[in-house]
Amino acid sequence: MRLIQRPTPSPLHYLYAALGSLATVTAIVLLFTGDVERAAAAFTSVDIHYLARVFLVVAVISLSGVLSYRSGLWNIGQEGQAVVGALAAVASRNALEAVALAALFSTLWILAPAVLRATAEVNEAVTTFLLSLVAIYTARYFIDGPLRDPAKKGFVVTAEAPYLDILAAAAMYLLLLVGVVALYKTRTGLTLRLLASGEEVVRYAGKSPRVYIATALLLSGAVAGVGGAVEIMTREAGRYMTLQQVSTGFGLFGVSAAWLGGLHPLGAAAASLYIAWLYQVATNLKVMGLPALVANALVGSAMAWGLAGYVMYKYRVVWR
Amino acid sequence: MAVDIGVVQEALKGAAPILLATLGAVIGQRAGVLNLGLEGVVYLSAAVAAAAGPPWGYPLAVAVGTLYNLLYYLLVNDLALNQILMGFAFTMMAYGVGSQIARPAVGKPIEKPLVQGVEIYLAAVLVAVALHLLLRTRLGVAIKASGDDPASLDLMGVDVYRIRKIAGALEGALASSAGAYLVLIYYGSWSDQLVMGWGTLAVVTAMISLWSPLLAAGASIIPSLFISLAYTLQRLTEASPHLLNTVPYLASIAVLVLAQLAVRKTRLRALAPRWLARPYIREERT
């Protein structure tokens, strides 16, 4: 099996990747359900509010992925940054404060990896991933301690996060989307994307790579934190964190959407909708009594196809 | 200053799985693959070991973990999919599948063999010595070359893809032994959160040890010492156990930074595999 570079890359291959993902998902669902009728039910039952909520969370976090990966930087700690964002939301009095604090604290959370990458070339994939695990334990400390709701005697849960209407969340996402698209039209955005070609290129362009490395990672962290806040605040009920349910897995979903969408803000939006639907399918399967791991398996395969789409865009796979 | 023998013994016992997984990461990273999926391999093999129990749990876990790692290598090596993101996805999938496989083992004690710690650590050090010697053989040189200059290796007629897959098999076998050890010998029980983070720590320890199996033997004690200290402090102080659990990860990051700063302006910097995390595509050879 070898890769041959295509003379003319075509974005159509992202579509093929999406079709490949769909075929894989169909196979997985058929495998778990065992019959076509139940599989069809899992595919077609959709709760619009639920789908919209998951879409918005995944779409916001996918923008975090777009911001870092298009700059050639590997922030894979979105899960941890989202946990920090959700914690900030739980500690807030109103939705506006929650979003602001989520962005602030998740930026602070990624500050160390950003500075270490910019100044000491410490691998940001390793540090952001390790900090995700740290975020989970830190969140448990806050749930069990400073943010524990004393009114819920006998249960270790936080106070409830303020409610954020789904339309307000949609408006916020649109603002972020427009912001990222607009950023890429500016000179700063161009320099951020130049980073992916190498720090030397940015240096030749007369800019400091360190500043742009830090900027890309901090922006990425801030957006992932907002995603975490949106996740907890748009729930219709149970807008609190428990010791067991700290990590929601939406970090992986956002990263998958970014790649499946070809690292384009609008492509990531379309991929987020697809992943939200996959999540709905997984939820339907759970309701049918099938294992909870299905959601991860479905989204994980979508991510693999997204990465495959990226490779297929540039290369042809030949058997020899 | 009095040294708590119990902490040291626990640290040595805990250093053994970290050393095994670190040796795997050293081999993989030497070959040019930054495998964050190692965390998934450790977790999945631990889950298999917990579900199967002794005595067959160990070989079964190693077989499953090695195959899982080879699948990762097939995707990132032959198909050039992004190493970091695939590793991340493989870890997430292993968490999901592993927790499901080992669900019947939650809360059930596993009969542990009688081990004190020192002898297990010494056995792991022997593996490190063996790997050090392996890296001096023809195969070892090829593994190092595939991480430093795969194009030249290819020009010499060595199949880089095959060499990297051999490295992947070795890495998988070592990391999955670590996973099986954690459940069957170190903890003697299973819960969803128990094994989380050990594989990632190994990825960091491989970097701290400057990709040398012999240095890894010393470096693997660092995270293990902090894990043991966290447990001891939980017993002795009123500090939150949740916060104490963050110490091994934060300490590992701190040591990684110190190690990188220390070698930054020295010749040791050249030890880093130049093709780390970059896929090799033969048709792009220049």
Side-chain angles (χ1 to χ4, degrees):
Chain A
M1 202 158 42
R2 292 292 176 260
L3 302 173
I4 306 286
Q5 196 154 9
R6 293 181 188 281
T8 47
S10 157
L12 257 184
H13 291 95
Y14 286 112
L15 185 65
Y16 299 154
L19 291 174
S21 168
L22 197 60
T24 312
V25 166
T26 308
I28 293 174
V29 172
L30 274 172
L31 182 79
F32 276 105
T33 52
D35 73 89
V36 179
E37 210 168 296
R38 286 178 83 197
F43 279 131
T44 49
S45 307
V46 172
D47 174 343
I48 293 296
H49 182 271
Y50 185 69
L51 187 79
R53 193 178 88 76
V54 175
F55 161 73
L56 287 170
V57 178
V58 176
V60 170
I61 298 179
S62 75
L63 288 178
S64 159
V66 169
L67 279 164
S68 74
Y69 307 138
R70 283 201 74 165
S71 307
L73 294 160
W74 301 104
N75 171 22
I76 53 169
Q78 275 90 351
E79 188 65 30
Q81 291 139 28
V83 166
V84 171
L87 261 185
V90 162
S92 305
R93 285 161 298 182
N94 59 59
L96 201 62
E97 182 185 300
V99 172
L101 285 181
L104 175 69
F105 283 106
S106 55
T107 306
L108 290 175
W109 193 256
I110 202 176
L111 186 63
V115 171
L116 289 172
R117 172 65 178 80
T119 58
E121 292 175 36
V122 176
N123 190 303
E124 73 282 6
V126 174
T127 48
T128 52
F129 190 48
L130 270 174
L131 281 179
S132 277
L133 298 167
V134 174
I136 290 170
Y137 289 118
T138 307
R140 285 193 184 134
Y141 162 72
F142 278 101
I143 294 165
D144 206 4
L147 292 179
R148 184 171 173 175
D149 186 357
K152 296 199 176 72
K153 288 176 186 148
F155 296 98
V156 186
V157 295
T158 61
E160 295 229 11
Y163 179 67
L164 180 68
D165 188 76
I166 200 93
L167 290 175
M172 197 172 67
Y173 164 62
L174 279 176
L175 265 177
L176 279 173
L177 182 69
V178 170
V180 173
V181 173
L183 173 72
Y184 283 147
K185 304 283 178 199
T186 65
R187 195 167 286 193
T188 306
L190 175 69
T191 314
L192 283 173
R193 282 182 288 154
L194 273 183
L195 258 181
S197 306
E199 290 176 34
E200 284 303 310
V201 183
V202 175
R203 203 167 286 124
Y204 289 142
K207 315 270 183 185
S208 161
R210 287 181 174 183
V211 171
Y212 285 91
I213 287 169
T215 306
L217 285 172
L218 293 177
L219 281 175
S220 172
V223 172
V226 171
V230 170
E231 196 280 315
I232 201 161
M233 288 196 301
T234 50
R235 292 182 197 171
E236 282 185 317
R239 291 188 302 276
Y240 49 73
M241 295 173 91
T242 68
L243 280 177
Q244 288 75 31
Q245 284 183 319
V246 172
S247 176
T248 53
F250 282 104
L252 169 71
F253 298 176
V255 173
S256 307
W259 283 92
L260 200 59
L263 297 186
H264 191 285
L266 297 175
S272 299
L273 188 59
Y274 174 63
I275 286 181
W277 173 70
L278 286 185
Y279 194 73
Q280 170 81 70
V281 172
T283 308
N284 294 342
L285 290 175
K286 254 188 273 183
V287 172
M288 289 176 185
L290 293 158
L293 71 93
V294 182
N296 266 2
L298 295 181
V299 179
S301 77
M303 175 149 166
W305 274 106
L307 295 174
Y310 189 73
V311 172
M312 285 194 297
Y313 169 72
K314 275 180 79 181
Y315 305 97
R316 201 157 47 88
V317 180
V318 292
W319 296 88
R320 65 174 189 208
Chain B
M1 193 176 73
V3 178
D4 187 340
I5 298 296
V7 172
V8 175
Q9 210 157 45
E10 265 313 296
L12 285 175
K13 210 162 129 186
I18 292 183
L19 176 55
L20 287 174
T22 300
L23 293 174
V26 165
I27 293 281
Q29 289 180 25
R30 274 282 189 193
V33 179
L34 180 59
N35 182 4
L36 287 174
L38 208 63
E39 167 72 16
V41 175
V42 172
Y43 191 90
L44 183 64
S45 53
V48 170
W56 295 107
Y58 214 108
L60 195 64
V62 172
V64 171
T66 307
L67 285 175
Y68 192 61
N69 205 46
L70 271 176
L71 177 65
Y72 166 81
Y73 266 72
L74 189 77
L75 293 172
V76 303
N77 184 41
D78 293 40
L79 289 176
L81 300 192
N82 186 285
Q83 293 178 8
I84 292 166
L85 293 167
M86 275 319 285
F88 178 52
F90 262 58
T91 294
M92 291 298 171
M93 283 191 275
Y95 280 168
V97 176
S99 61
Q100 202 68 29
I101 289 173
R103 186 169 279 184
V106 174
K108 286 184 188 162
I110 297 167
E111 200 183 322
K112 288 198 285 184
L114 191 65
V115 287
Q116 295 302 317
V118 179
E119 73 276 22
I120 290 289
Y121 182 68
L122 288 178
V125 170
L126 277 179
V127 179
V129 173
L131 274 182
H132 173 73
L133 294 174
L134 172 78
L135 287 175
R136 288 163 179 267
T137 62
R138 200 175 159 79
L139 172 66
V141 171
I143 288 175
K144 285 194 281 188
S146 80
D148 274 333
D149 192 356
S152 299
L153 186 68
D154 202 358
L155 276 171
M156 287 169 68
V158 180
D159 188 339
V160 176
Y161 297 96
R162 186 175 299 162
I163 290 293
R164 285 190 173 184
K165 272 180 282 199
I166 292 172
L170 281 170
E171 182 186 69
L174 285 161
S176 47
S177 316
Y181 174 96
L182 277 172
V183 163
L184 297 180
I185 297 170
Y186 188 69
Y187 288 122
S189 63
W190 166 267
S191 82
D192 280 354
Q193 312 292 331
L194 216 60
V195 181
M196 208 181 255
W198 286 74
T200 315
L201 286 175
V203 174
V204 179
T205 318
M207 293 174 167
I208 292 170
S209 61
L210 300 173
W211 302 277
S212 153
L214 294 183
L215 287 180
S220 60
I221 296 177
I222 298 166
S224 173
L225 191 65
F226 282 104
I227 290 170
S228 304
L229 268 177
Y231 286 139
T232 309
L233 288 174
Q234 277 174 32
R235 286 198 302 268
L236 300 178
T237 67
E238 286 183 5
S240 161
H242 304 302
L243 283 185
L244 289 173
N245 280 335
T246 64
V247 173
Y249 307 111
L250 294 173
S252 296
I253 294 176
V255 176
L256 175 68
V257 173
L258 289 176
Q260 291 219 335
L261 288 176
V263 302
R264 217 171 161 202
K265 289 188 174 125
T266 68
R267 274 185 294 174
L268 289 172
R269 186 183 157 84
L271 290 174
R274 283 195 292 274
W275 274 64
L276 188 61
R278 286 168 63 192
Y280 174 66
I281 299 168
R282 179 175 287 156
E283 282 64 26
E284 284 188 352
R285 187 173 65 192
T286 49

